[in-house]
Amino acid sequence: MFFRDTATVNEAGGRPEATGAAAYGLMGRRKTLGLFALLCLTLGAALAGLLIGTYDTGIRDLAAALLGETGTKSAIILGLRLPRVVMALLVGAGLAVGGAVCQAVLGNPLASPFTLGVSSGAGFGAVLGIVLFHSSHPDAVAASALVFAAISTLLILGINNIRGAGSETLILGGVAVMFLFSSLTSFVQYTGTLQEVGDIVFWFFGSLSKAGWRHIAVSAVMIALPMPYLYLKAWDYNAFLAGDEAALALGVHVGRLRTASICLSALLTAGAICFVGVIGFIGLVAPHIARMLVGSDHRYLLPASALSGAALVALADLISRILWPPQIIPIGIMTSFLGVPFFFFLLVRRTRRRL
Amino acid sequence: MLETHNLGFGWGKTRCLSGVSLSVKPGEVVSVIGPNGAGKSTLLKCILHILKPGEGEARVHGKNVGALHPRERAMKMAYVPQALPSKFPMSVFDVVLLGRRPYLSWKAADRDIEKAGRELERMGLSRLACRDYDTLSGGQKQKVMLARAFAQDAEFLLLDEPTSNLDLRHQLEVMCLLKEYTAQDGKGALVVLHNLNTAARFSDRIVMLQEGSVFRAGLPWDVLSGKNIETVYGVEVETVGLNGCRVVVPLRVAG
């Protein structure tokens, strides 16, 4: 982990190395620093997203637009780019925190609302919505996506309530739910018209262009509502890392918290993807990036995940717009393009460190 | 006082535990011994209500454990499971600080951090505070787990095979630390052990389990008679005196 580097430097430099509680204090400051760096990165990405595009704008144009000047540049910045950027930040934060919480309560680094089948449920809902209501009714499509995200969550909770079902059962069940909805999606695609198939494929690519302020408001509520609860439970998530039984003995309502957390992370995920389509990988990769920066203490990890997720999606959106103008590469493709190599880099780095 | 009355548990029709009654007083180390599958771990889990007992009950100071709020339960009993999971990189200090979970609000208060620091120091592991828990040796990991349990400041410690997988020195260290802690801080400990000699040396009393029931319970050498061991383990042993210590020497599998 990066934040430990300084300790090694101290040792080599001959300064007295901090031990025990003092070392913990130092570590805390380093984590705060890591959070601050992530915050700067996120703000930077957001600012870049507002200023950079096919149409040249500068910081002065942004200031003018914010001060109420009307004109082409202001319209582009406030009307076109601002909603994209806000949605990107929201989606990234929602997916990342949902992933971090799932990884904690299931004690599995591979867990995320995607592996639990929530997103395939939402995907199938969207597909059904496209076939039934056509893509001219995006609200109906989003509503249908939400309903099926809820249904897949209920399926998962059903598995969770089987007596003696551990987190492995839950993850296997989630993968099964994922395949169920994927095959249902394929079936609808197979029987659909060419137009429908086109719309379906487009929905699955993910696009931030679909988001208007009304959609952003709905997503923001769904993503912001669960956050305080999840954040207050940070210590309980830490206890989960010691295993279910140890967590129970540490006074955590393991069953109840797991159910609540799965529901809330499903809500976060649904809020993130119902309007913009399936944006993969963020829920898995952002918590891991955050963990490498600030460690596994969820008091730091949850905000760090939210920030890394937000920064990643904002950056991916920016790159997707400037890479091949005037084409916009779908965001769902871009997040993986960007996330996978970065993730591999961190993975290799960490493995080397341990050897 | 920690006590169980006729504690029983089963998976479906398979009985794992039946009619187990025992007690642990403050300042006392009680060992649970018995062959594999005798129900030792199940016993600890039932007392903690990690597994809900089928019949009977466990009580702490006369109160049924099942009726306690989880947080209250955690203030009465600390538990170190057999397996030491390590799923995500976590610093040693964070692991120990977890023991303060029952007392913490959201922010870790200075006294919680101090307590965790003191327990880490007691184990002689202060220098490892920032190390990744995963990178420690088995013995160090076990000590960190013990530090976490000590930091929990519960009245009773329930430890599941704290010395298995440890080398000679670590076995001795861990048991001495436990003995010292119970004596100094007036805590009671219920410890599952495999090594009969360790159990004999460090326990105030021993409970010997056979097929889910108490076979014998009492003072160490009353329980560890050759006849009892042969009946429960199916192994012929001889007890020899060595420099004022008595040790059990296994001879052969009883035919």
Side-chain angles (χ1 to χ4, degrees):
Chain A
M1 275 188 273
F2 298 146
F3 71 91
R4 273 199 218 96
D5 287 3
T6 336
T8 349
V9 171
N10 279 353
E11 207 173 0
R15 266 193 286 164
E17 194 192 357
T19 58
Y24 182 72
L26 268 179
M27 215 158 61
R29 279 197 283 286
R30 257 175 253 146
K31 289 177 191 178
T32 314
L33 208 66
L35 266 185
F36 184 71
L38 275 174
L39 182 68
C40 293
L41 180 70
T42 311
L43 290 178
L47 192 65
L50 286 177
L51 296 182
I52 301 172
T54 38
Y55 199 90
D56 265 341
T57 49
I59 196 100
R60 235 177 261 142
D61 302 313
L62 175 64
L66 288 176
L67 289 173
E69 190 189 287
T70 50
T72 322
K73 286 185 174 180
S74 299
I76 285 175
I77 291 177
L78 294 186
L80 287 176
R81 289 183 193 162
L82 187 62
R84 284 189 81 93
V85 169
V86 171
M87 196 63 177
L89 296 177
L90 268 177
V91 165
L95 290 174
V97 173
V101 167
C102 275
Q103 288 171 10
V105 297
L106 297 175
N108 191 311
L110 281 175
S112 81
F114 281 64
T115 33
L116 285 184
V118 175
S119 60
S120 357
F124 175 67
V127 166
L128 215 58
I130 289 168
V131 172
L132 293 179
F133 311 110
H134 305 293
S135 52
S136 52
H137 295 81
D139 291 355
V141 174
S144 173
L146 272 183
V147 168
F148 276 87
I151 290 174
S152 61
T153 311
L154 286 178
L155 278 174
I156 292 296
L157 290 181
I159 296 166
N160 187 30
N161 282 335
I162 300 170
R163 189 165 171 258
S167 53
E168 288 85 4
T169 322
L170 214 56
I171 289 170
L172 286 174
V175 172
V177 170
M178 188 171 85
F179 275 108
L180 170 71
F181 282 116
S182 301
S183 55
L184 284 172
T185 302
S186 304
F187 179 73
V188 174
Q189 268 181 306
Y190 183 69
T191 54
T193 64
L194 211 55
Q195 168 71 31
E196 284 163 358
V197 171
D199 289 341
I200 290 169
V201 168
F202 187 69
W203 194 89
F204 267 90
F205 283 158
S207 162
L208 291 169
S209 315
K210 291 181 250 180
W213 284 112
R214 203 164 45 85
H215 303 136
I216 292 174
V218 176
S219 282
V221 169
M222 289 170 68
I223 290 168
L225 268 184
M227 293 281 191
Y229 174 84
L230 298 176
Y231 201 44
L232 277 176
K233 294 289 176 193
W235 275 107
D236 291 2
Y237 295 133
N238 289 349
F240 263 107
L241 296 186
D244 286 6
E245 291 176 353
L248 267 170
L250 287 168
V252 178
H253 270 296
V254 167
R256 198 190 290 175
L257 185 62
R258 181 174 287 146
T259 308
S261 303
I262 290 173
C263 283
L264 291 178
S265 60
L267 185 65
L268 284 172
T269 309
I273 65 178
C274 67
F275 295 115
V276 300
V278 176
I279 296 180
F281 209 55
I282 297 292
L284 183 69
V285 74
H288 284 291
I289 292 173
R291 201 169 279 123
M292 290 172 206
L293 279 169
V294 303
S296 293
D297 184 344
H298 284 76
R299 291 176 301 158
Y300 297 93
L301 180 61
L302 290 178
S305 300
L307 288 171
S308 356
L312 260 179
V313 178
L315 280 175
D317 179 49
L318 176 65
I319 295 173
S320 75
R321 281 186 289 138
I322 59 176
L323 203 60
W324 188 14
Q327 291 282 337
I328 297 176
I329 301 165
I331 184 76
I333 298 174
M334 207 60 223
T335 49
S336 300
F337 269 173
L338 206 68
V340 173
F342 186 49
F343 189 59
F344 269 125
F345 165 71
L346 290 173
L347 218 57
V348 170
R349 199 184 146 100
R350 193 180 68 164
T351 317
R352 276 218 195 117
R353 230 162 243 275
R354 288 194 177 186
L355 290 177
Chain B
M1 184 141 94
L2 172 69
E3 47 194 338
T4 68
H5 291 278
N6 280 321
L7 211 58
F9 179 82
W11 294 106
K13 280 183 182 162
T14 327
R15 302 300 304 163
C16 302
L17 214 59
S18 51
V20 176
S21 297
L22 56 84
S23 68
V24 184
K25 291 186 205 66
E28 197 181 39
V29 176
V30 177
S31 294
V32 181
I33 60 170
N36 289 332
K40 304 184 294 295
S41 300
T42 312
L43 172 64
L44 291 198
K45 287 178 191 174
C46 279
I47 294 175
L48 286 151
H49 274 242
I50 289 171
L51 297 172
K52 223 174 150 54
E55 59 260 8
E57 59 176 25
R59 289 186 210 151
V60 179
H61 299 315
K63 275 192 207 158
N64 188 343
V65 175
L68 293 175
H69 186 274
R71 188 179 280 260
E72 210 180 334
R73 200 181 299 161
M75 291 180 184
K76 304 271 187 236
M77 295 185 289
Y79 172 54
V80 177
Q82 205 171 36
L84 309 170
S86 48
K87 290 158 180 167
F88 297 111
M90 205 175 184
S91 79
V92 166
F93 201 92
D94 276 321
V95 173
V96 178
L97 197 58
L98 265 188
R100 301 303 295 167
R101 155 71 181 62
Y103 307 91
L104 288 169
S105 52
W106 187 83
K107 193 179 179 308
D110 287 344
R111 77 188 152 81
D112 295 312
I113 292 173
E114 268 169 36
K115 173 84 177 159
R118 269 204 308 281
E119 293 307 341
L120 205 56
E121 206 177 310
R122 193 204 293 260
M123 300 295 157
L125 297 178
S126 288
R127 290 183 63 83
L128 301 181
C130 292
R131 275 275 293 277
D132 191 342
Y133 174 75
D134 279 349
T135 62
L136 302 186
S137 73
Q140 289 169 331
K141 279 185 182 171
Q142 191 65 56
K143 279 192 192 168
V144 172
M145 283 294 131
L146 211 58
R148 188 188 79 197
F150 288 2
Q152 203 170 330
D153 206 16
E155 289 165 60
F156 296 96
L157 289 171
L158 285 82
L159 311 176
D160 202 345
E161 295 187 26
T163 57
S164 57
N165 303 324
L166 299 191
D167 63 28
L168 210 53
R169 181 193 164 132
H170 278 108
Q171 281 185 27
L172 205 62
E173 274 181 353
V174 162
M175 289 313 290
C176 286
L177 283 165
L178 177 66
K179 195 76 182 164
E180 187 190 295
Y181 177 75
T182 49
Q184 275 177 7
D185 296 29
K187 313 286 188 188
L190 187 63
V191 191
V192 170
L193 287 175
H194 264 308
N195 188 324
L196 300 183
N197 290 317
T198 310
R201 180 167 166 190
F202 290 98
S203 319
D204 295 297
R205 283 183 299 123
I206 290 183
V207 175
M208 191 183 240
L209 289 187
Q210 187 192 28
E211 289 169 8
S213 306
V214 178
F215 180 77
R216 288 282 183 282
L219 295 173
W221 289 110
D222 292 346
V223 175
L224 292 175
S225 72
K227 201 168 149 248
N228 287 347
I229 294 173
E230 190 176 331
T231 316
V232 170
Y233 286 90
V235 173
E236 279 178 37
V237 298
E238 192 170 352
T239 310
V240 293
L242 238 159
N243 299 334
C245 273
R246 283 169 79 184
V247 282
V248 176
V249 182
L251 297 178
R252 65 188 79 81
V253 173

